[in-house]
Amino acid sequence: MSNQSGIVFTHCAVTAAAADHGHAHSHARRREVVIAGKRVKTVDIHAHCCVPKAMEVIKHPLEAPGLLMEDTSTRIAAMDSQGIDVECLSINPYWYRASKDESAEVIRLQNEALVEFCARQPDRFVAFATAALQHPELAAEQVEHAVKKLGLRGVSVGGSVAGLELADPKFNPFWKKCEEHDLLVFLHPTGTRELEPSGRLGGSGLLTNTIGNPLETTIALSHLIFEGTLDRFPGLKICAAHGGGYLGSYANRSDAVIRTFPNRVGPLPKKQPTAYLRDGQLYFDTIVFTPEALRHLIAESGPDRIMIGTDYPFPWTATEVDLVLSTPGLSDDQRIAILGGTAQKLMGIKP
């Protein structure tokens, strides 16, 4: 890393939205990332929000007050302190068991609100559209509308859909539409509901989240590879939350199973499973916690496949910019790509 790389602090003016709510500080300090003497725009690919009006349609409770966007002063202050310039907002699916009419209304309200959130502070927020995957033809229409009418450049999905894998052929119309519009799909797990009745994820440690969330992502990605979804839609671009779960740590076993049990794996994917980590269809966020873990994920996938994520407002991490700056073996250009360059290209964010 260049000795000109790092963080500088600047005084930034308060946003109009924050000032309107009376919560702004007139001289908030904003961290700016500088690499090789140049200011770098940083993009957080993994940040959550919610739309209460949409949640009311199916009586879904508010998970955390920090998800609300009515007053973004606390969120902006967190972004400024962490050195995050732009958040890519997403909503974790809670509507996958809703009826067609209910979910159509949920998605309409959410996507319109997401556009409104971004329009208020376009220099700080972009958003992933939502879609009712349990009704795939409707979901495809919602994607079309989100792109052509609302101007959104990505769509978020869960790790499974009411017990069905994302690789189920039922969802092909949705994947086809995402490929057609060259959208980035942000894949965030919805938990391990199907595994929990056994009780093995009970007890201490919040294992339903600690292990369950990355496990669901690993299962989802493995099915997308082995069931041929990524082969059917070679233009698909999927960013998997939490570093892609466990896939990046042990993907070579997926290569090995083809050699070990060739008669029990099939039909075979067109490439070795590890190739899908590097060939431009799969991307990952940086929520892996240590420089060594990030170094390994980069070694398995490539520095152009990684984007920073914070999981805001959930306090898993507040140091993703520092993580990238402190991970050994990266060039300045590679750090710039991870910190924001790749996300800017995929989400259509101006440099």
Side-chain angles (χ1 to χ4, degrees):
M1 184 171 68
S2 165
N3 59 13
Q4 291 180 285
S5 304
I7 299 282
V8 297
F9 285 91
T10 62
H11 290 291
C12 62
V14 301
T15 65
D20 286 346
H21 286 87
H23 291 289
H25 301 286
S26 59
H27 294 91
R29 289 170 67 80
R30 181 170 176 177
R31 300 176 76 181
E32 295 188 344
V33 180
V34 176
I35 293 182
K38 294 179 67 175
R39 170 80 162 89
V40 175
K41 177 178 276 192
T42 58
V43 181
D44 177 4
I45 204 71
H46 182 171
H48 300 293
C49 67
C50 70
V51 179
K53 188 184 294 186
M55 298 162 74
E56 289 169 10
V57 173
I58 56 174
K59 305 293 191 290
H60 187 76
L62 176 64
E63 184 178 356
L67 292 167
L68 298 172
M69 295 289 290
E70 282 88 350
D71 174 8
T72 57
S73 59
T74 300
R75 182 183 291 259
I76 295 286
M79 293 167 64
D80 287 348
S81 69
Q82 294 177 34
I84 302 294
D85 293 313
V86 181
E87 271 189 355
C88 300
L89 300 170
S90 58
I91 302 174
N92 282 351
Y94 59 86
W95 55 87
Y96 282 170
R97 297 178 187 271
S99 70
K100 190 170 185 179
D101 287 346
E102 286 178 328
S103 52
E105 181 66 1
V106 167
I107 299 306
R108 183 187 71 78
L109 289 168
Q110 283 183 165
N111 288 352
E112 289 177 0
L114 286 166
V115 171
E116 185 181 325
F117 295 159
C118 298
R120 284 187 211 148
Q121 293 169 289
D123 61 326
R124 304 310 298 267
F125 299 115
V126 296
F128 290 100
T130 55
L133 257 70
Q134 73 271 38
H135 308 291
E137 297 292 346
L138 173 62
E141 293 172 9
Q142 290 166 337
V143 168
E144 182 86 6
H145 180 76
V147 173
K148 292 193 171 180
K149 302 296 185 183
L150 302 180
L152 296 169
R153 292 299 311 143
V155 60
S156 59
V157 301
S160 59
V161 183
L164 292 178
E165 292 297 334
L166 295 173
D168 191 299
K170 173 181 180 178
F171 302 121
N172 284 350
F174 170 79
W175 294 122
K176 181 179 180 181
K177 190 63 67 175
C178 293
E179 181 186 49
E180 178 184 327
H181 290 294
D182 195 28
L183 295 180
L184 179 65
V185 178
F186 181 65
L187 191 164
H188 191 287
T190 51
T192 49
R193 183 183 298 191
E194 294 77 28
L195 302 178
E196 289 168 24
S198 70
R200 293 202 68 197
L201 293 177
S204 183
L206 188 60
L207 300 187
T208 53
N209 190 321
T210 308
I211 293 174
N213 270 5
L215 177 60
E216 196 203 23
T217 302
T218 307
I219 293 170
L221 293 176
S222 296
H223 279 296
L224 290 169
I225 291 170
F226 279 109
E227 306 301 325
T229 304
L230 296 183
D231 290 336
R232 278 190 294 277
F233 306 104
L236 266 185
K237 297 181 179 68
I238 298 173
C239 177
H242 315 122
Y246 305 122
L247 186 65
S249 299
Y250 210 27
N252 289 288
R253 185 174 175 89
S254 295
D255 287 359
V257 75
I258 294 173
R259 301 189 301 269
T260 307
F261 298 112
N263 297 328
R264 295 170 64 182
V265 180
L268 296 176
K270 290 184 178 179
K271 299 177 286 194
Q272 290 288 297
T274 51
Y276 295 89
L277 275 69
R278 297 187 294 269
D279 287 357
Q281 286 183 277
L282 297 182
Y283 295 79
F284 309 95
D285 72 17
T286 57
I287 304 179
V288 294
F289 302 103
T290 68
E292 173 54 25
L294 183 57
R295 184 210 61 77
H296 180 74
L297 182 60
I298 291 168
E300 293 294 319
S301 64
D304 54 344
R305 303 284 172 251
I306 311 294
M307 295 173 271
I308 55 174
T310 68
D311 214 343
Y312 188 90
F314 305 104
W316 286 99
T317 174
T319 56
E320 294 308 286
V321 168
D322 305 280
L323 176 64
V324 175
L325 293 176
S326 63
T327 295
L330 295 173
S331 69
D332 287 343
D333 286 345
Q334 289 169 343
R335 293 185 205 280
I336 291 168
I338 296 169
L339 288 166
T342 297
Q344 287 176 53
K345 291 175 187 174
L346 292 172
M347 293 295 287
I349 301 169
K350 293 178 182 178

